[in-house]
Each structure stands twice: as structure tokens, then as C-alpha cells.
Amino acid sequence: MNSSLTKLVVQHTCRVPFPEGPAGSGAVAARQFDAVLMTVGFKLSSELLAHLSGLSEGTVIDTAVRVLPVVRAMVGGHVQHNAYFRDFPRDVPDTLDFWLRCLRQALADPEASPGTAATVADEARHGVLNLLALPAYGRYQHTYEEMLAAHDELIAKAADRVTILHLGRGLAEELQDLYLRLAGSVTPLGDDDLRALRRLAGHCATGPQPETIPIRENRAVVNQARLAAGADPLLDTVTDVLRLACALSGGDVTLQEPTRFASLSRSVRRSLLAGLDDVVRADPGKLGDVAARREQWKRLGERLHPHEYPRWPHAAQVFAVARRERTAPSFAARVEARLAAGDVPGAATLLKGAPGLLFRSLDRLLRTASTPAERDAVLEIAETVAGRVSGRVVLSVREHLLNRAAGGGTRVFANRLGRGITAPDTRPPLDEQTVERLAAFLDAEIQRRLPPIGRLLVDPDVLDVALPLSGKATADGLGVLPRGSVTRVDGELLRFFVHWRQRDHDTDFDLSALMLDGDYRNPTWLSYTSLTQVGGEHSGDIVVAPDGATEFINLRLDRVPARFVIPQVNIYSGEGFDRVAESFFGFMLRDADQAGRPFEPRTVRMKSELRGPGRVALPLVFMRGDDGRWRAKWLHLHLKGRPAFNRVEGNRLSTARLVRATVERRYLTVRHLIGLLAERAGSVTTWDGRTIPGGPVTFIGLERPEGLHEASRVFTPDRLRDLIPA
């Protein structure tokens, strides 16, 4: 069994590819495997446990050796999480007392820190003290083993997280299924899924393929594998060729970042030019797409040498447009000309040729229309082409309408990398009747596309999960949900953490918690400058992490006076989130009497990778409702921040604005889609967490329960995108 391919399956599906080996008495080893899994919050399903028990002991051990490192990494348990304060969260000192203690230690032992006394005296004369220069500050003063010895064992509770590992099919079948789901996804993939698709495409290029590959960047990854296997790439726009060239050069297939094109072999150049020629010959109007990426086309032309291939004259026209030797007005330019002339129905009629763009432009067209007759004309045109618009776009417009019934307020924007900004919403409100008509039509269109599903079994915990209309709105990790999702926070102690490991340079990440009242004001915070505040403790500042470092914040939720708790990770100095060797954030939930170490894998509810160009990360916000209960809302946002020395005190205003705009924004959730599905279902049952019905069902929930009929269809967060109709 290939370990790296097995890892892909376990990470993305929580299924263990069907273990094969000689029969034997593996029951004892299988139970031991299960017991070790439970220490990190996982468990074998009864079916998988029974299967392993019938195999030889060596086969069971071999399976455990492959699976255990994968699940440990999924919750962040693959590294040693030491805390600066050995007894954390006990005995965390007052901030000023701690600083004075570091200073006294430095002055008391001049041999251990030569020059420190003189340096401190000189700094004191200037009214400044550099804490980072003190030998005891920001550097672990005890070993990981000494920290473990200072803590009691965790008291296991039924409320601790248990993630079930299910028995899968053979490895080849699991890989093929995962490939088809990722390649055929109707929503853009996150970075982790896109990397997985790249790996799987090379493995599955000669096998069955999805009927369609609607997401263009997925198509670029698949086309790269097809070329390597000697098959023709799938191309129907000129931009498909550009994306493929980026993939072949190891660049960004989303085209958001510039790619330095590599030298391409003659056979690859011929394939790209022949495909480009076919696209333009079939529809010369597609030359209008070139101008938007003129510079990238010019750079690619330097690698493809189109002048050497006169047999493909239509391909040469692409580069002529890029060099401005030929004009090709873009589709968008023709639409803008109609709008500039005040011809809104004419612009909408022109957009019939690009139905997706028409739907994305509906808000502008409707608020630009000067009369009810013009608005009716726009809606009628949209209704005639709705069947040619992807379900993702239809649902995106439906979500947009949730936030357009009234004018004013604040708009929040997030790019594909999670960079978040806010701006006042200066758009006039849409007419209420127009919104109602369009919303009803969009719901009917989605409902028309949903298949009959028989019996529907719904976990109520999934109802407020935002529909995954783009994988770019979700970080990679365990228990991570799309931006805008809301979930319950059940526990007395909330502990969140950040771990990072620098690559080449000393790097200092700082974990902080900004706390705001119901009006997003009166900030208080826990950070390295405020170690004990508002019912919580900070584990201490780590400033150097050659072998990795972890910081924690511990909160007793019943003592937190704030309405909002916003964890944030600030890059104080050194490498960014995209540069460090490793960085991730997560949170744990415990009861007050559970004790245990600072990091206990079985209590981890969420662990997400920290990646992105910003210098301040905002993974999620914890919110206390009017009922006194706490909930989490996923943000997956970054602030640009400063190049260095970012602190919670310095970004509290921008953080508050961004969090408020995201919290108050309405997202389309699974609840909405289930409401549409209900009319297509034979019956709808709310799952009580225990009773499993007989016979096949369609289950929608956070995790697959044990005991479902083998013919059941299951939609958990990793497969929610499959609910989005094409």
C-alpha cells in the first residue's frame, strides 16, 4: 500500500483504503491500534475494527504505522507543543511582574549573560528596555518532558471529539473516486485540494474522467497530466491555454500571480499552439479575452515562438492582439459601451452570450435601470438564459440578495488569498419587489436542478454551515468550515493555539485575543503584553522557533465579559505565513475538571493551516448570543498589517471593522438548500445523534455516523460541494 497515496485518502475522506494481507489473529493488535487512535481523538469504525481483527498481526501493525502519523498531523499532534510557562494555565504571572523577573535574572547572573547589565543600564538612561535581549525572555526555560511532568493526565469525557475512521474500498478505487470528485467539482478548490488533484491527476490520467471539468484551474491541472500521458488537452477558451502554460511552468493556474514561463519542449509548444488555433478558428470572438492578460500572453509568446509555425495562423492572431498589432474589443468593453449609452436592456441582451457574466452583473443592471419596464426586461432576459448558468453562480447571486434588501452598511471583500478589506456600501438599495421576484426565481431554478433523493436524514449541527461556493473561502485542515459558517461552542474552557516552525530566519508569531462588547467597542485583550485578563491566561511569548514553538490562550467562558472574542495571529518579525516551514492554528474545548497538558489532541475541535500574504491572521470569531451560549463564526481572513512589529493593540480598529462586517453579513447556508431539497425528498428526518434508520438514506451532517446502510449517500463538510448542482 503506497503510504503517500494512502495519506491522501485518509486526509480527504476519513476512510482507510481496504487493508489487504494474510488472514490471522489480529484482534489484539487492532484493539491496541484503536486505543492509540482514541488518544488523538480518532476511532476505528466497528466494520474496520472487525476487518483488521481477521488479518495477521503484522498487517494490522503495518496499517497502523501508515495511518497514525496521518491522523496525528490532522490535529496538530505530530509536533511537541511546549509552553513558555511550564505550569500553564496555572501560575501565569502578572505581565509586569514577569518582565521584572526576567530583568532580575539577567542582572543576577552576569556570567550567564555577559554585557547584559551594561546594556540594561544604557537602555534605562534612554527610557527604553529591550525585552527580547533578556536571556530568559521568549526562550523555553524547560524541556518538553519537564513540562509534561508538571501536568496531570487528561480526564477523558464523552464530550471529547471522536472522529470515526471508516473502512474504504481498495486504494485504486478510493483514489479514482477522489480524483473524479476533485476534478469534476463545480466549485473552486482550496489550495490543499488543488495540490491533491495535481497528484491524483498524474496517477489517474489514463483512467475514467469526469463528464465535465467546469472549474478552469482544475482543467489546467488535468490538462497538464493529459499532456504527460500523450493525450490532447481539453481546451475551449484561449485562457485555458494560458492556464495550462502556467501549470507546465509550475506557476499559478488561477492567474492571480505572475508566472515565469519555463522553456517548453517542441512537442509541448506544438500542442499548445494547435489547441489555441482550434479555439480561435471555432470562435474568433474569443480573441477579446486576450487584452485582459496582455502582458502574460506576450511573455508566453516568447516561449512558444508562434512565428515558427505558419500552419496555425489563428494562434498567431492571439499574440498579435497581445502586441496591439490587431484590435479585438473585449466582450466587457462592448457591454460597457451599451451601458454608457444608457441602453440597459441592450447591455442585458448582449450579455445573453455570456450567461454567467449576465448573472454576476444583475445587481448593476437592475439598479442602473431607470424604469420598471427596463428592470422587467433585464429580469426576463435573465430568466431565459438561467438554464445555462452554473448552479454555483445562481447560488452566489441568491446569497448576494440576502444582503441587498436595504442600502447602507458596510461591504466586506476578501480575495482568493483571504485578504479582507471593508468599504461603505454606497449602492442604492434594490427595489423590494424586484428582489423578491428574483429570489423566488433563483430558488425555483436551483430546486429544478436538484435530484429526487428519497429519505433525507439531517444532522441539525450542519444547518448553519455556509454553502461551499468556493474552496478559496476555507483554510485547509480538520474541522474547518467555509467562511460565514456558524457552529456551537460547547465547553467550559476554550483554549486556542498557534504553532509555527521557522525555515531560514528567526521568526516571532504572537497569539492574541481581542475582546469587544456588543457594539464592537471597548476593546480588551490577552497577549504577551497582557498575560492575565478577563478570565483568561496567555502561555507566554516565544520569540525564536528553530525547532518549532507554540503559544496558547486559555479562557473560562463563563468569566468572559465580552460579546466577541477574536483570536488573531500577528507576525511580529521574521518569515511570513507563506514562508515558514509550518504554521497552523486551532482550538480545543474542555470541561473545567479535565486538567491535562496544554495541548491534548482528543480535545482539538479545529486545526487549520495558516497561509496567506497578510501579516495578521483572523481564523474565526467566538460570539456570545443573547441566550448566553457561545458560537464560532468562521472568518478565514487576513489583514495586510505592517512589515514587522504587528501587535493586537495596533490593529484593533481595523480588526473590529472587518469582523463586524463579516459577522453581520448573511451567508447562504445548508439550511437554505435543505429547504429546497425537502420538496424533492420522500421524507425528511432530523437525526437525534443515536438512531440510525434501516435502508438507504441521504445523510447530511458534520460527520458520517456508524451503521448507515451501505447504499446511503453521505454529505459531510468535505463533500458538501457535491450538493451544489451543476
Side-chain angles (χ1 to χ4, degrees):
M1 186 183 293
N2 187 300
S3 295
S4 62
L5 294 175
T6 299
K7 177 181 178 181
L8 276 181
V9 174
V10 174
Q11 280 181 328
H12 286 81
T13 68
C14 282
R15 290 200 299 271
V16 178
F18 194 85
E20 296 181 301
S25 301
V28 173
R31 287 195 297 271
Q32 291 173 337
F33 178 23
D34 193 42
V36 175
L37 280 171
M38 291 180 68
T39 65
V40 290
F42 289 81
K43 183 171 177 40
L44 300 174
S45 71
S46 56
E47 184 183 18
L48 180 53
L49 180 62
H51 176 72
L52 289 172
S53 297
L55 300 176
S56 68
E57 183 176 278
T59 302
V60 176
I61 293 173
D62 187 51
T63 302
V65 166
R66 287 185 170 89
V67 173
L68 280 170
V70 179
V71 298
R72 285 195 177 108
M74 287 170 67
V75 295
H78 61 300
V79 297
Q80 295 181 342
H81 294 278
N82 203 349
Y84 179 86
F85 297 117
R86 187 193 63 178
D87 299 323
F88 171 82
R90 305 187 311 271
D91 303 327
V92 174
D94 173 79
T95 308
L96 185 57
D97 290 343
F98 168 63
W99 291 350
L100 290 173
R101 188 172 74 191
C102 291
L103 180 59
R104 284 195 297 268
Q105 287 178 332
L107 296 177
D109 190 1
E111 292 184 3
S113 52
T116 298
T119 300
V120 169
D122 181 65
E123 289 177 344
R125 282 194 294 271
H126 294 86
V128 176
L129 176 62
N130 182 9
L131 290 172
L132 303 185
L134 301 178
Y137 187 87
R139 296 159 180 83
Y140 287 119
Q141 303 298 297
H142 52 265
T143 66
Y144 177 69
E145 289 71 25
E146 289 170 337
M147 186 273 294
L148 294 184
H151 292 269
D152 297 328
E153 289 296 318
L154 179 74
I155 301 171
K157 291 289 184 75
D160 292 343
R161 177 189 53 79
V162 178
T163 301
I164 304 296
L165 295 179
H166 296 272
L167 178 63
R169 295 166 295 167
L171 179 60
E173 293 177 89
E174 289 289 344
L175 293 173
Q176 186 67 53
D177 179 68
L178 182 57
Y179 167 71
L180 292 175
R181 285 203 297 112
L182 294 178
S185 171
V186 298
T187 64
L189 302 177
D191 291 339
D192 185 54
D193 283 340
L194 199 57
R195 285 191 295 269
L197 176 59
R198 185 172 285 110
R199 177 74 190 280
L200 291 166
H203 187 79
C204 302
T206 57
Q209 300 296 308
E211 292 183 10
T212 60
I213 304 177
I215 302 302
R216 298 293 171 169
E217 55 203 58
N218 297 358
R219 184 177 297 191
V221 171
V222 172
N223 278 338
Q224 182 181 8
R226 289 176 63 86
L227 271 183
D232 292 332
L234 307 172
L235 308 167
D236 58 25
T237 71
V238 295
T239 311
D240 282 341
V241 179
L242 187 60
R243 292 183 195 274
L244 176 54
C246 290
L248 293 166
S249 301
D252 177 19
V253 295
T254 70
L255 305 181
Q256 301 299 309
E257 299 294 331
T259 293
R260 186 181 181 87
F261 293 110
S263 295
L264 303 171
S265 68
R266 185 174 292 274
S267 62
V268 169
R269 299 204 314 263
R270 286 198 296 263
S271 294
L272 294 181
L273 288 170
L276 196 57
D277 194 80
D278 288 341
V279 169
V280 177
R281 182 189 303 109
D283 184 359
K286 293 186 177 180
L287 287 171
D289 296 338
V290 175
R293 296 182 173 86
R294 191 184 304 277
E295 290 303 316
Q296 290 166 294
W297 279 113
K298 287 162 67 176
R299 301 288 80 79
L300 179 59
E302 294 169 358
R303 295 297 188 184
L304 294 184
H305 310 155
H307 58 279
E308 297 179 3
Y309 301 92
R311 59 182 146 161
W312 293 312
H314 297 89
Q317 294 173 13
V318 170
F319 303 98
V321 172
R323 295 190 300 268
R324 301 183 190 274
E325 296 170 357
R326 175 182 175 137
T327 59
S330 68
F331 187 79
R334 288 184 285 159
V335 173
E336 290 298 327
R338 295 287 181 93
L339 290 173
D343 184 7
V344 174
T349 301
L350 184 59
L351 282 165
K352 287 176 66 175
L357 182 57
L358 169 61
F359 267 58
R360 293 186 182 95
S361 304
L362 278 175
D363 189 302
R364 182 186 180 192
L365 293 170
L366 290 170
R367 69 176 187 266
T368 303
S370 57
T371 66
E374 286 191 344
R375 286 194 293 270
D376 288 343
V378 170
L379 290 174
E380 288 169 5
I381 290 170
E383 290 168 359
T384 63
V385 300
R388 295 161 50 201
V389 180
S390 73
R392 177 174 70 94
V393 171
V394 174
L395 287 168
S396 295
V397 177
R398 184 66 180 88
E399 179 176 280
H400 173 80
L401 292 178
L402 294 177
N403 300 279
R404 286 292 283 131
T410 302
R411 301 177 69 182
V412 59
F413 301 91
N415 65 14
R416 71 178 188 88
L417 299 174
R419 175 75 60 78
I421 60 172
T422 61
D425 191 350
T426 59
R427 299 169 300 177
L430 293 176
D431 174 73
E432 185 175 342
Q433 291 183 334
T434 299
V435 170
E436 290 178 358
R437 173 180 168 180
L438 183 55
F441 166 70
L442 295 175
D443 283 343
E445 177 62 26
I446 288 297
Q447 192 173 59
R448 182 185 64 80
R449 302 186 193 189
L450 294 172
I453 56 173
R455 293 191 298 167
L456 181 60
L457 182 64
V458 180
D459 175 2
D461 289 340
V462 82
L463 292 176
D464 292 322
V465 172
L467 291 179
L469 301 179
S470 173
K472 307 301 182 185
T474 306
D476 302 324
L478 176 78
V480 180
L481 298 173
R483 180 181 300 127
S485 298
V486 176
T487 52
R488 293 179 304 156
V489 176
D490 296 323
E492 298 168 305
L493 296 179
L494 168 65
R495 184 174 301 170
F496 38 93
F497 59 90
V498 64
H499 177 85
W500 76 98
R501 178 165 53 88
Q502 64 198 43
R503 187 183 301 275
D504 300 315
H505 305 288
D506 287 350
T507 296
D508 180 6
F509 284 10
D510 290 323
L511 180 65
S512 305
L514 177 65
M515 304 186 193
L516 304 172
D517 65 15
D519 294 322
Y520 303 89
R521 296 178 180 174
N522 298 318
T524 55
W525 53 84
L526 275 162
S527 70
Y528 73 92
T529 64
S530 181
L531 295 171
T532 54
Q533 288 287 340
V534 290
E537 301 85 20
H538 191 288
S539 68
D541 189 22
I542 303 296
V543 301
V544 181
D547 300 314
T550 305
E551 293 184 8
F552 300 90
I553 284 178
N554 190 70
L555 288 171
R556 287 172 292 281
L557 290 174
D558 62 343
R559 300 185 190 177
V560 175
R563 192 70 175 264
F564 300 99
V565 176
I566 310 163
Q568 60 177 249
V569 182
N570 291 273
I571 300 177
Y572 187 81
S573 63
E575 300 166 344
F577 297 122
D578 285 337
R579 178 58 186 164
V580 291
E582 183 177 31
S583 64
F584 54 84
F585 168 90
F587 73 86
M588 298 171 274
L589 292 172
R590 308 187 192 191
D591 288 342
D593 61 348
Q594 282 192 275
R597 293 168 275 188
F599 181 88
E600 290 286 0
R602 74 177 73 180
T603 67
V604 172
R605 302 305 173 97
M606 182 276 269
K607 176 250 181 182
S608 67
E609 300 299 315
L610 286 179
R611 287 291 182 262
R615 305 290 284 185
V616 180
L618 305 173
L620 74 173
V621 56
F622 297 98
M623 313 177 297
R624 181 165 52 84
D626 294 334
D627 57 2
R629 296 181 178 179
W630 287 88
R631 295 169 179 83
K633 188 162 190 173
W634 263 252
L635 301 177
H636 305 304
L637 294 172
H638 287 83
L639 295 172
K640 181 179 181 181
R642 300 176 180 176
F645 314 127
N646 293 286
R647 299 192 305 161
V648 63
E649 297 95 319
N651 60 50
R652 62 184 186 273
L653 295 178
S654 54
T655 296
R657 284 195 299 269
L658 185 58
V659 168
R660 180 172 191 163
T662 307
V663 167
E664 295 181 354
R665 176 180 167 79
R666 298 175 63 190
Y667 291 83
L668 207 61
T669 64
V670 173
R671 185 188 305 274
H672 183 87
L673 195 60
I674 286 176
L676 301 178
L677 275 168
E679 297 189 23
R680 308 280 287 174
S683 65
V684 181
T685 304
T686 299
W687 186 46
D688 60 9
R690 299 182 302 275
T691 307
I692 301 297
V697 298
T698 295
F699 175 80
I700 303 176
L702 293 181
E703 290 192 4
R704 177 185 182 128
E706 281 203 81
L708 285 179
H709 190 277
E710 60 182 11
S712 295
R713 299 182 66 197
V714 178
F715 297 94
T716 47
D718 64 298
R719 300 198 68 155
L720 283 180
R721 69 168 74 94
D722 297 341
L723 283 172
I724 308 297

